[in-house]
Amino acid sequence: MARLARIESLKHRHSHIDQKIASEGGRPRPDERVLMCLKLQKLRIKEEIERLAG
């Protein structure tokens, strides 16, 4: 059960980072370093979700 809770927590964080990426990308002059960092975090979370689910 703890594993399912961890997966749900990661999915929530993944969604939150996705919102941050959309917000930053919608700015007139988005900070590319911030976007790169957020996308990397999102990828790492996705990989962890896949690892736990598999």
Side-chain angles (χ1 to χ4, degrees):
M1 192 62 165
R3 190 162 102 185
L4 291 177
R6 176 71 176 150
I7 291 171
E8 286 304 313
S9 173
L10 289 169
K11 285 181 179 180
H12 177 71
R13 286 178 53 202
H14 188 270
S15 175
H16 183 70
I17 290 173
D18 202 33
Q19 291 172 356
K20 284 183 172 182
I21 291 170
S23 176
E24 183 67 31
R27 292 180 41 196
R29 295 185 64 202
D31 187 333
E32 293 300 322
R33 288 182 299 169
V34 170
L35 283 174
M36 183 180 66
C37 190
L38 289 169
K39 288 178 180 182
L40 185 57
Q41 288 177 25
K42 185 178 169 187
L43 177 61
R44 288 182 178 153
I45 291 171
K46 180 183 174 190
E47 288 172 345
E48 187 172 352
I49 290 170
E50 290 173 352
R51 182 180 58 81
L52 290 171

